[in-house]
Amino acid sequence: MLRVGLTGGLASGKSFAAAEFERLGCPLLHADRVSRDLLAEDAGARDETIAAFGAGIVGADGTVDRSALARLVFGDPAKLERLNGIIHPRVFRRIDAFFDAVERRAPSAVAVVEAAIMIETGSYRRYDRVILVACPRELQLRRFVERGSGTRADAEVRLGRQMPLEEKRRFADHVIDSGGSKDETLAQVRRLCGELQAAASQKAGD
Protein backbone atom coordinates (compact mmCIF):
# COMPACT_ATOMS: atom_id res chain seq x y z
CA MET A 1 0.00 0.00 0.00
CA LEU A 2 1.12 3.52 -0.72
CA ARG A 3 0.46 6.10 2.00
CA VAL A 4 -0.17 9.44 0.31
CA GLY A 5 -0.56 12.83 1.96
CA LEU A 6 -2.51 15.44 0.00
CA THR A 7 -2.17 19.05 1.08
CA GLY A 8 -2.55 22.60 -0.13
CA GLY A 9 -3.73 25.89 1.24
CA LEU A 10 -6.81 28.01 1.54
CA ALA A 11 -9.01 27.63 -1.57
CA SER A 12 -6.17 25.99 -3.47
CA GLY A 13 -8.30 23.18 -4.89
CA LYS A 14 -7.10 20.52 -2.45
CA SER A 15 -10.57 19.12 -1.73
CA PHE A 16 -11.44 19.16 -5.44
CA ALA A 17 -8.37 17.05 -6.19
CA ALA A 18 -9.10 14.76 -3.23
CA ALA A 19 -12.58 14.05 -4.54
CA GLU A 20 -11.16 12.99 -7.90
CA PHE A 21 -8.62 10.66 -6.27
CA GLU A 22 -11.50 9.07 -4.38
CA ARG A 23 -13.59 8.77 -7.56
CA LEU A 24 -10.63 6.99 -9.17
CA GLY A 25 -10.70 4.37 -6.42
CA CYS A 26 -8.29 5.70 -3.82
CA PRO A 27 -9.49 5.28 -0.23
CA LEU A 28 -9.65 8.79 1.23
CA LEU A 29 -9.61 10.23 4.74
CA HIS A 30 -10.23 13.93 5.40
CA ALA A 31 -7.97 14.59 8.39
CA ASP A 32 -9.35 18.11 8.83
CA ARG A 33 -12.84 16.67 9.24
CA VAL A 34 -11.54 14.18 11.79
CA SER A 35 -9.97 17.06 13.71
CA ARG A 36 -13.20 19.06 13.52
CA ASP A 37 -15.37 16.18 14.67
CA LEU A 38 -13.14 15.07 17.53
CA LEU A 39 -14.46 17.65 19.96
CA ALA A 40 -17.96 16.35 19.38
CA GLU A 41 -17.18 12.64 19.27
CA ASP A 42 -14.30 12.17 21.71
CA ALA A 43 -15.27 12.93 25.31
CA GLY A 44 -11.64 12.86 26.40
CA ALA A 45 -10.64 15.45 23.81
CA ARG A 46 -13.61 17.63 24.72
CA ASP A 47 -12.97 17.49 28.47
CA GLU A 48 -9.24 18.10 28.06
CA THR A 49 -9.89 21.08 25.80
CA ILE A 50 -12.39 22.64 28.22
CA ALA A 51 -9.97 22.09 31.11
CA ALA A 52 -7.22 23.81 29.12
CA PHE A 53 -9.20 26.79 27.82
CA GLY A 54 -12.04 27.32 30.27
CA ALA A 55 -15.81 27.28 30.35
CA GLY A 56 -15.94 30.26 28.00
CA ILE A 57 -15.59 27.90 25.02
CA VAL A 58 -18.64 25.85 26.04
CA GLY A 59 -21.84 26.60 24.13
CA ALA A 60 -25.36 26.65 25.48
CA ASP A 61 -25.82 23.02 24.47
CA GLY A 62 -22.79 21.91 26.46
CA THR A 63 -20.56 21.26 23.46
CA VAL A 64 -17.39 23.10 22.56
CA ASP A 65 -18.12 26.24 20.57
CA ARG A 66 -15.50 25.87 17.84
CA SER A 67 -15.81 29.52 16.82
CA ALA A 68 -15.15 30.67 20.38
CA LEU A 69 -12.21 28.29 20.63
CA ALA A 70 -10.78 29.53 17.32
CA ARG A 71 -11.00 33.15 18.45
CA LEU A 72 -9.13 32.22 21.60
CA VAL A 73 -6.25 30.26 20.08
CA PHE A 74 -5.61 31.78 16.67
CA GLY A 75 -3.16 34.62 16.99
CA ASP A 76 -1.72 33.10 20.18
CA PRO A 77 0.96 30.56 19.21
CA ALA A 78 1.25 29.14 22.73
CA LYS A 79 -2.48 28.44 22.98
CA LEU A 80 -2.61 27.03 19.46
CA GLU A 81 0.28 24.71 20.26
CA ARG A 82 -1.53 23.59 23.40
CA LEU A 83 -4.69 22.81 21.43
CA ASN A 84 -2.70 20.96 18.78
CA GLY A 85 -1.12 18.90 21.54
CA ILE A 86 -4.59 17.72 22.52
CA ILE A 87 -6.02 17.16 19.05
CA HIS A 88 -3.17 16.01 16.82
CA PRO A 89 -2.19 12.78 18.62
CA ARG A 90 -5.80 11.64 18.41
CA VAL A 91 -5.99 12.54 14.72
CA PHE A 92 -2.78 10.61 14.04
CA ARG A 93 -4.20 7.54 15.75
CA ARG A 94 -7.26 7.69 13.51
CA ILE A 95 -5.05 8.09 10.44
CA ASP A 96 -3.01 5.05 11.48
CA ALA A 97 -6.22 3.07 11.98
CA PHE A 98 -7.40 4.15 8.51
CA PHE A 99 -4.16 3.00 6.90
CA ASP A 100 -4.23 -0.31 8.78
CA ALA A 101 -7.80 -0.98 7.67
CA VAL A 102 -7.03 -0.13 4.04
CA GLU A 103 -3.92 -2.30 3.96
CA ARG A 104 -5.80 -5.31 5.33
CA ARG A 105 -8.50 -4.80 2.73
CA ALA A 106 -6.40 -3.81 -0.29
CA PRO A 107 -2.60 -4.25 0.05
CA SER A 108 -1.90 -2.54 -3.28
CA ALA A 109 -4.15 0.49 -2.69
CA VAL A 110 -3.22 4.15 -2.90
CA ALA A 111 -4.56 5.45 0.43
CA VAL A 112 -4.90 9.24 0.55
CA VAL A 113 -5.10 11.49 3.59
CA GLU A 114 -6.14 15.06 2.90
CA ALA A 115 -4.88 17.60 5.46
CA ALA A 116 -4.30 21.34 5.24
CA ILE A 117 -1.31 21.75 7.56
CA MET A 118 0.61 18.48 7.34
CA ILE A 119 3.76 20.33 6.30
CA GLU A 120 3.46 22.92 9.07
CA THR A 121 3.02 20.20 11.71
CA GLY A 122 5.76 17.97 10.31
CA SER A 123 3.31 15.11 9.82
CA TYR A 124 4.14 15.02 6.11
CA ARG A 125 6.98 12.70 7.16
CA ARG A 126 4.41 10.00 7.91
CA TYR A 127 3.64 9.48 4.20
CA ASP A 128 5.34 7.65 1.34
CA ARG A 129 4.44 10.47 -1.05
CA VAL A 130 3.28 14.06 -0.48
CA ILE A 131 1.15 15.85 -3.07
CA LEU A 132 0.74 19.61 -3.02
CA VAL A 133 -2.18 21.28 -4.79
CA ALA A 134 -1.09 24.83 -5.60
CA CYS A 135 -2.28 27.93 -7.42
CA PRO A 136 -1.38 31.65 -7.36
CA ARG A 137 -2.17 33.50 -4.14
CA GLU A 138 -4.46 35.96 -5.89
CA LEU A 139 -6.54 33.06 -7.18
CA GLN A 140 -6.80 31.66 -3.66
CA LEU A 141 -8.19 34.99 -2.46
CA ARG A 142 -10.67 35.23 -5.31
CA ARG A 143 -11.92 31.66 -4.90
CA PHE A 144 -12.39 32.13 -1.17
CA VAL A 145 -14.60 35.16 -1.72
CA GLU A 146 -16.49 33.70 -4.69
CA ARG A 147 -17.51 30.58 -2.81
CA GLY A 148 -18.99 32.72 -0.03
CA SER A 149 -16.51 31.73 2.67
CA GLY A 150 -15.88 35.33 3.75
CA THR A 151 -14.36 38.60 2.69
CA ARG A 152 -11.01 39.20 1.09
CA ALA A 153 -9.81 40.53 4.45
CA ASP A 154 -10.89 37.24 6.06
CA ALA A 155 -8.92 35.33 3.45
CA GLU A 156 -5.84 37.50 4.01
CA VAL A 157 -5.94 36.73 7.73
CA ARG A 158 -6.28 33.00 7.16
CA LEU A 159 -3.53 32.93 4.56
CA GLY A 160 -1.32 34.79 7.00
CA ARG A 161 -1.53 31.80 9.32
CA GLN A 162 -0.51 29.32 6.61
CA MET A 163 2.84 28.58 5.06
CA PRO A 164 2.85 30.06 1.54
CA LEU A 165 2.27 27.47 -1.17
CA GLU A 166 5.55 28.36 -2.85
CA GLU A 167 7.40 27.40 0.35
CA LYS A 168 5.47 24.15 0.59
CA ARG A 169 6.65 23.07 -2.85
CA ARG A 170 10.05 22.01 -1.53
CA PHE A 171 8.41 19.43 0.74
CA ALA A 172 6.25 17.89 -1.97
CA ASP A 173 7.01 14.86 -4.11
CA HIS A 174 4.33 15.90 -6.61
CA VAL A 175 2.65 19.23 -7.39
CA ILE A 176 -0.77 19.59 -8.99
CA ASP A 177 -1.18 23.03 -10.54
CA SER A 178 -4.80 24.03 -9.92
CA GLY A 179 -4.41 27.47 -11.45
CA GLY A 180 -6.00 26.48 -14.74
CA SER A 181 -9.39 25.04 -15.59
CA LYS A 182 -11.09 22.28 -13.64
CA ASP A 183 -10.55 19.91 -16.56
CA GLU A 184 -6.83 20.67 -16.56
CA THR A 185 -6.62 19.97 -12.83
CA LEU A 186 -8.56 16.72 -13.21
CA ALA A 187 -6.25 15.59 -16.01
CA GLN A 188 -3.23 16.08 -13.73
CA VAL A 189 -4.92 14.11 -10.94
CA ARG A 190 -5.69 11.24 -13.30
CA ARG A 191 -2.12 11.07 -14.61
CA LEU A 192 -0.66 11.17 -11.13
CA CYS A 193 -3.14 8.63 -9.81
CA GLY A 194 -2.02 6.20 -12.49
CA GLU A 195 1.62 6.69 -11.50
CA LEU A 196 0.83 6.17 -7.82
CA GLN A 197 -1.26 3.07 -8.47
CA ALA A 198 1.63 1.56 -10.41
CA ALA A 199 4.01 2.39 -7.56
CA ALA A 200 1.62 0.91 -5.01
CA SER A 201 1.30 -2.31 -6.99
CA GLN A 202 5.08 -2.58 -7.28
CA LYS A 203 5.49 -1.95 -3.55
CA ALA A 204 2.89 -4.61 -2.69
CA GLY A 205 4.76 -7.10 -4.86
CA ASP A 206 8.16 -6.49 -3.23
Side-chain angles (χ1 to χ4, degrees):
M1 185 188 73
L2 205 65
R3 300 181 177 211
V4 175
L6 176 65
T7 192
L10 181 73
S12 65
K14 169 175 59 68
S15 296
F16 180 72
E20 181 64 5
F21 275 109
E22 185 174 34
R23 192 191 69 79
L24 293 169
C26 301
L28 174 69
L29 179 72
H30 299 279
D32 297 334
R33 293 182 190 174
V34 172
S35 178
R36 180 193 65 199
D37 294 342
L38 264 173
L39 293 176
E41 299 173 354
D42 187 317
R46 181 183 64 244
D47 293 347
E48 194 173 343
T49 301
I50 294 171
F53 299 103
I57 65 168
V58 181
D61 60 357
T63 63
V64 173
D65 182 333
R66 294 178 64 252
S67 295
L69 179 60
R71 288 193 297 271
L72 187 65
V73 302
F74 288 126
D76 187 324
K79 289 181 179 178
L80 182 58
E81 184 175 357
R82 190 174 184 184
L83 177 62
N84 288 341
I86 296 169
I87 300 298
H88 286 171
R90 290 174 164 90
V91 173
F92 296 153
R93 286 197 291 272
R94 294 201 182 186
I95 291 172
D96 289 342
F98 163 73
F99 281 140
D100 288 345
V102 171
E103 190 156 28
R104 286 194 300 269
R105 183 173 76 243
S108 61
V110 175
V112 180
V113 172
E114 177 198 358
I117 59 171
M118 67 173 59
I119 291 174
E120 289 89 335
T121 63
S123 62
Y124 71 95
R125 300 183 184 92
R126 301 167 65 89
Y127 303 96
D128 299 315
R129 305 283 185 91
V130 174
I131 302 169
L132 174 69
V133 183
C135 66
R137 189 175 189 275
E138 183 60 34
L139 184 54
Q140 288 180 271
L141 293 167
R142 189 167 77 243
R143 285 175 174 170
F144 180 85
V145 174
E146 288 177 350
R147 72 187 187 190
S149 300
T151 66
R152 185 182 176 92
D154 294 332
E156 293 277 10
V157 169
R158 290 181 59 176
L159 281 177
R161 295 197 296 259
Q162 298 181 354
M163 180 186 294
L165 292 176
E166 285 305 312
E167 290 185 29
K168 289 186 178 185
R169 283 178 180 268
R170 62 192 178 95
F171 298 93
D173 299 294
H174 310 278
V175 177
I176 293 172
D177 180 359
S178 63
S181 70
K182 288 183 177 181
D183 285 344
E184 288 170 338
T185 300
L186 292 175
Q188 292 175 71
V189 173
R190 291 169 191 144
R191 284 195 297 270
L192 179 54
C193 185
E195 293 176 20
L196 296 175
Q197 287 171 335
S201 296
Q202 182 177 9
K203 183 180 178 184
D206 290 342

